[in-house]
């Protein structure tokens, strides 16, 4: 059988044993099998597209598994979630999808359980908080594929010129921003609350203020909590209102533009994930990284992000899908992916290697944050809609003439409505 691989590549805007199956595989599990995988592109150019990673991995896998072929299609993050949704809606679900969210498909009973696919050692290798985040009603459907945490990046040269040191509290951050502004820095603190990734910057600040998207005790949305309101009151009054966030209104500033400005030497401080290291280094910017400041000291909880692998039941092939995933999650392959794209590994075994390897020293600060991180509430089927609403509205919370409490109350109302609609 001749294998045909279709590839769509775009720049990012923006981780065994035989499977222990819960039962016998579907009838389609005999004979030659072609598995279809749709995956996101983590590269920033054609030269390092994720297609190259998958091509190499698939070639090795197919060489060891005659009769099984894997057809990989890679799309940019701008398109991949919509592409998978369109395939599912058309009744043509792929066998595997590596995208940003899984809960909607799990709620519709379209996905295999992780127990149906993965060997016990592979399942046990997922860090606890990542495995838990992949669960709906206590059952794991989402398998973590890539992870990252956030740190506060600062421009060493600008800090030296201003005679300041990295902040550990909100008050120190504001004082540093004042000093940077007095030195003529364009963006003393870059606050990207634009539509591209406002939900990430928002969550980082909410956690540092002792709040978050959900009520820690009830598990329900709590966007309008007193802690969250106080956080955005501070951002509006002590940063944005004092002209410390730059010439572009936070609600109009996207993450990619903030990263580019940092790489150009125009930003004093901003929250960033590991890929910013490479972007800044290419432009010769010397930077430092510290944990996100909190109200009275280092934030007790940092923000973590995970992307997900899922397997659709429509085509069967549970045995072949499971064997392939056990190979994907081998230590060697998880390390290769994480190192290629400067992301955090999603297995304890690969994390143990990276935490001591000299070549991974630059990722160690991010690795250290992962055990203390909180992820988006991705197990909620309403999260996709709530996240989109946050991206659309949260910038208004720091706009002159607008009350943060009003905006957060509106977001909470929408979130509760969406959550109730999914029950």
């Amino acid at each position: 059988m001749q294998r045909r691989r279709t590839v769509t590549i775009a720049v990012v805007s923006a981780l065994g044993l035989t499977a222990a199956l819960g039962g016998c595989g579907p009838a389609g599990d005999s004979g030659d099998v072609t598995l279809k995988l749709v995956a996101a592109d983590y590269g920033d150019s054609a030269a390092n597209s994720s297609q190259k990673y998958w091509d190499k991995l698939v070639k090795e896998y197919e060489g060891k598994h005659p009769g099984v072929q894997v057809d990989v299609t890679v799309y940019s993050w701008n398109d991949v979630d919509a592409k998978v949704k369109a395939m599912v809606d058309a009744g043509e679900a792929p066998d595997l999808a590596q995208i940003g969210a899984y809960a909607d498909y799990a709620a519709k009973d379209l996905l295999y359980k992780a127990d149906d696919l993965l060997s016990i050692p592979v399942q046990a290798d997922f860090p606890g908080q990542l495995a838990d985040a992949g669960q709906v009603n206590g059952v794991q459907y989402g398998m973590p594929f890539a992870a990252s945490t956030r740190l506060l990046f600062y421009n060493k040269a600008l800090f030296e010129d201003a005679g300041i040191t990295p902040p550990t509290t909100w008050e120190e951050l504001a004082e540093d921003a004042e000093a940077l502004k007095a030195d003529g820095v364009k963006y003393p603190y870059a606050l990207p609350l634009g539509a591209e990734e406002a939900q990430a910057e928002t969550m980082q600040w909410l956690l540092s203020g002792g709040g978050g998207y959900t009520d820690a005790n009830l598990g329900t949305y709590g966007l309008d909590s007193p802690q969250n309101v106080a956080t955005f009151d501070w951002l509006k009054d002590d940063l944005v209102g004092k002209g410390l966030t730059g010439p572009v209104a936070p609600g109009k500033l996207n993450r990619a533009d903030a990263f580019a400005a940092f790489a150009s030497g125009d930003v004093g401080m901003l929250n960033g994930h590991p890929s910013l290291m490479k972007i800044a280094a290419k432009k010769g910017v010397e930077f430092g990284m510290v944990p996100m400041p909190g109200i009275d000291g280092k934030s007790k909880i940092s923000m973590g992000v995970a992307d997900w692998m899922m397997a659709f039941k429509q085509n069967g092939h549970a045995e072949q899908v499971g064997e392939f995933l056990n190979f994907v999650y081998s230590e060697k392959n998880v390390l290769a992916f994480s190192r290629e794209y400067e992301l955090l590994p999603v297995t304890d075994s690969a994390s143990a290697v990276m935490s001591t390897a000299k070549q991974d020293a630059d990722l160690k600060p991010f690795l250290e944050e992962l055990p203390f991180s909180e992820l988006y509430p991705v197990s909620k089927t309403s999260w996709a809609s709530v996240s989109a609403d946050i991206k659309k509205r949260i910038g208004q919370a720091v706009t002159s003439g607008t009350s943060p409490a009003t905006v957060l109350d509106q977001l909470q109302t929408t979130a509760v409505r969406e959550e109730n609609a999914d029950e």
Side-chain angles (χ1 to χ4, degrees):
M1 184 184 297
Q2 179 66 35
R3 175 165 50 89
R4 177 175 59 85
R5 182 169 292 119
T6 303
V7 185
T8 301
I9 300 174
V11 177
V12 176
S13 59
L15 112 141
L17 301 172
T18 300
L21 301 178
C24 295
D29 280 359
S30 61
D32 287 352
V33 168
T34 297
L35 302 178
K36 296 186 181 297
L37 165 63
V38 176
D41 192 356
Y42 289 83
D44 56 13
S45 68
N48 72 337
S49 166
S50 294
Q51 188 68 43
K52 292 190 174 183
Y53 169 80
W54 287 112
D55 282 349
K56 182 178 179 180
L57 183 148
V58 165
K59 182 178 180 180
E60 181 180 353
Y61 183 79
E62 290 178 345
K64 298 177 180 179
H65 296 80
V68 178
Q69 298 175 335
V70 185
D71 185 350
V72 182
T73 307
V74 171
Y75 294 102
S76 80
W77 274 110
N78 293 331
D79 303 318
V80 67
D81 289 297
K83 291 288 186 181
V84 172
K85 183 179 185 303
M87 294 172 71
V88 173
D89 289 347
E92 300 174 349
D95 296 282
L96 292 154
Q98 187 272 295
I99 52 178
Y102 67 88
D104 282 352
Y105 301 122
K108 296 174 183 176
D109 195 29
L110 300 177
L111 303 180
Y112 283 115
K113 302 172 185 177
D115 282 343
D116 294 334
L117 304 170
L118 299 177
S119 68
I120 292 175
V122 168
Q123 281 189 273
D125 207 17
F126 293 137
Q129 83 270 38
L130 295 183
D132 290 346
Q135 296 180 359
V136 173
N137 296 324
V139 178
Q140 185 176 358
Y141 297 93
M143 293 160 277
F145 184 76
S148 71
T149 53
R150 305 294 165 100
L151 293 171
L152 183 73
F153 283 67
Y154 64 95
N155 184 308
K156 286 186 174 181
L158 296 180
F159 266 59
E160 184 176 349
D161 290 344
I164 54 178
T165 56
T168 59
T169 66
W170 286 2
E171 182 180 2
E172 291 176 1
L173 188 148
E175 290 172 351
D176 285 350
E178 289 276 13
L180 291 165
K181 180 182 179 182
D183 248 18
V185 176
K186 190 173 182 180
Y187 295 89
Y189 178 86
L191 184 66
L193 296 178
E196 180 190 357
E197 206 191 31
Q199 85 286 358
E201 182 73 12
T202 297
M203 183 172 175
Q204 186 79 4
W205 278 100
L206 296 184
L207 291 173
S208 73
Y213 283 138
T214 58
D215 184 298
N217 296 316
L218 301 176
T220 55
Y221 286 109
L223 283 89
D224 60 347
S225 70
Q227 297 93 330
N228 292 348
V229 172
T231 294
F232 267 85
D233 280 341
W234 188 88
L235 284 171
K236 180 180 178 182
D237 296 338
D238 290 70
L239 281 187
V240 180
K242 294 181 179 179
L244 303 178
T245 55
V248 179
K252 301 293 185 181
L253 182 65
N254 284 325
R255 182 198 67 185
D257 295 329
F259 279 15
F262 185 81
S264 297
D266 292 330
V267 174
M269 299 173 281
L270 82 169
N271 287 317
H273 52 62
S275 69
L276 181 55
M277 295 188 296
K278 181 181 292 186
I279 296 171
K282 282 183 178 179
K283 292 294 187 72
V285 173
E286 292 190 15
F287 58 87
M289 301 177 297
V290 294
M292 176 68 180
I295 299 175
D296 300 315
K298 173 188 171 183
S299 179
K300 295 180 176 61
I301 302 176
S302 62
M303 189 191 76
V305 177
D307 301 324
W308 302 94
M309 178 74 77
M310 64 212 69
F312 289 89
K313 296 190 292 185
Q314 179 180 322
N315 303 320
H317 309 319
E319 181 178 355
Q320 291 82 2
V321 168
E323 289 177 346
F324 178 66
L325 287 175
N326 286 326
F327 179 75
V328 167
Y329 284 105
S330 68
E331 180 182 296
K332 180 187 73 171
N333 288 326
V334 172
L335 282 171
F337 179 84
S338 301
R339 286 168 170 164
E340 176 64 29
Y341 300 106
E342 294 195 310
L343 291 165
L344 303 184
V346 294
T347 61
D348 288 330
S349 58
S351 292
V353 173
M354 292 186 75
S355 64
T356 57
K358 289 184 179 180
Q359 72 184 94
D360 304 311
D362 56 348
L363 285 173
K364 190 173 181 179
F366 295 94
L367 275 169
E368 291 173 345
E369 292 291 307
L370 189 58
F372 310 104
S373 65
E374 181 174 318
L375 279 69
Y376 299 132
V378 290
S379 62
K380 292 180 177 293
T381 56
S382 57
W383 170 242
S385 297
V386 173
S387 176
D389 198 36
I390 292 169
K391 292 179 181 181
K392 180 180 178 182
R393 299 194 200 190
I394 196 62
Q396 300 169 14
V398 294
T399 302
S400 177
T402 304
S403 164
T406 298
V407 174
L408 291 170
D409 181 66
Q410 292 170 345
L411 288 169
Q412 174 70 7
T413 299
T414 300
V416 171
R417 182 173 65 245
E418 293 290 340
E419 187 170 27
N420 291 337
D422 289 330
E423 292 180 351

